[in-house]
Amino acid sequence: MSLKNAFQSLHILKAFGIGFTCIDGADFPAMLREMKDPPYMLFYRGNLEILKKQCVSVVGTRHCTVSAKEAAESFSMEAANDDCVVVSGLAFGIDACAHKGALSADLGGTAAVLPGGIDNIAPKSNTRLAARILESGGVILSEYIPGTPAMNFRFVQRNRIVAALSPATVVIQAPPGSGAMLTAGLALDYNRELYFHAECFSKESEILTQSVIQKIKSDLSNFKSAENKLNNSPAAFVKDGAQIIKDYSDYKKCRKFQ
């Protein structure tokens, strides 16, 4: 980084009230130190201390059904009312519903992980939601220096932090090969617990899944990639031992007996 860029970043940190912590800092989230590829630094706005509370990561597809949105909000509201922090990625669909559900509760809180600089809310249409998270005592964080744009590969990098911040990840709805399924795989890679909401297997989800499968199969340009996406599905993870839950109460029962 040039001296000019360093001064620009420092100016943005001050202007936006952005804090930062390094991996050896006392306030660096302990769960991230357990990763094999942890971020060296985190930039944040809001209350980083809430990540010391019990957390649960809630993820899913951007193109979700109405019932899946309701499931995400309900699960997250119940989790927050149990003083549990809901972690997600501030994306459209399930992520946004997870944050909104947590915000509707009286306790808990919510944490949003960004795929770019902390000064660049992505998507921009969720800027008001990001403000509500900060107003409620939550936190927004990123491993990228201010001014860094959100790019495709950074969404995957963001997902690994979402998966690592909590002892468990809950997938509300996700078709094969989606970003949420990548997060599910990362959660297992980090020795976290993985759960699938029953909404993943509803009639509406099956219609969504079949539509995605047909789209994947129609792309004959890369057969191996298509095959990998088809195999990366909720059903495949459940077959390998992941549990299905129907609500937050069910989730707590399952975790108790792990």
Side-chain angles (χ1 to χ4, degrees):
M1 179 187 291
S2 69
L3 185 60
K4 179 181 178 181
N5 287 341
F7 277 118
Q8 287 178 338
S9 295
L10 183 60
H11 174 73
I12 293 174
L13 289 177
K14 291 181 178 179
F16 284 85
I18 298 170
F20 62 91
T21 181
C22 296
I23 193 169
D24 57 353
D27 56 349
F28 191 87
M31 295 291 283
L32 296 187
R33 291 199 185 97
E34 299 176 4
M35 300 167 64
K36 58 187 176 185
D37 53 350
Y40 177 70
M41 291 188 71
L42 283 179
F43 298 89
Y44 64 91
R45 294 179 66 193
N47 181 17
L48 192 66
E49 291 293 306
I50 68 167
L51 293 176
K52 293 181 179 179
K53 297 166 69 173
Q54 186 68 231
C55 296
V56 58
S57 296
V58 180
V59 300
T61 180
R62 291 172 172 80
H63 308 291
C64 54
T65 62
V66 173
S67 56
K69 290 181 179 180
E70 293 172 350
E73 289 200 25
S74 175
F75 179 93
S76 300
M77 181 182 68
E78 291 175 12
N81 275 329
D82 194 38
D83 205 21
C84 185
V85 175
V86 174
V87 179
S88 200
L90 201 64
F92 290 127
I94 296 301
D95 285 17
C97 290
H99 293 304
K100 290 175 183 176
L103 289 171
S104 69
D106 297 323
L107 294 172
T110 185
V113 187
L114 300 181
I118 198 78
D119 57 320
N120 180 28
I121 300 299
K124 289 191 179 300
S125 56
N126 277 345
T127 299
R128 179 54 192 150
L129 178 57
R132 288 180 59 201
I133 290 173
L134 296 179
E135 291 164 2
S136 72
V139 66
I140 299 173
L141 60 152
S142 170
E143 66 180 305
Y144 299 108
I145 63 171
T148 303
M151 299 178 71
N152 286 344
F153 76 92
R154 293 189 178 120
F155 284 87
V156 178
Q157 293 297 303
R158 180 274 308 276
N159 290 354
R160 87 188 199 287
I161 295 178
V162 171
L165 275 173
S166 305
T169 289
V170 175
V171 181
I172 302 294
Q173 184 181 57
S178 63
M181 293 310 304
L182 290 177
T183 307
L186 288 165
L188 293 182
D189 287 345
Y190 298 142
N191 294 316
R192 306 302 195 240
E193 296 171 26
L194 177 63
Y195 300 91
F196 288 87
H197 196 283
E199 190 59 38
C200 282
F201 307 97
S202 68
K203 184 178 294 185
E204 292 84 358
S205 290
E206 181 60 25
I207 294 172
L208 176 65
T209 295
Q210 289 305 315
S211 174
V212 171
I213 288 175
Q214 291 306 314
K215 185 176 180 180
I216 292 173
K217 286 183 175 179
S218 67
D219 182 12
L220 301 178
S221 60
N222 191 335
F223 175 78
K224 190 63 178 177
S225 175
E227 184 180 38
N228 288 338
K229 287 183 178 180
L230 290 173
N231 290 333
N232 191 18
S233 68
F237 278 89
V238 170
K239 184 178 180 180
D240 288 340
Q243 296 188 65
I244 300 174
I245 58 163
K246 62 181 184 293
D247 52 28
Y248 180 71
S249 177
D250 202 19
Y251 162 81
K252 284 193 70 176
K253 290 176 184 176
C254 289
R255 287 216 66 209
K256 181 179 179 181
F257 294 108
Q258 284 291 326

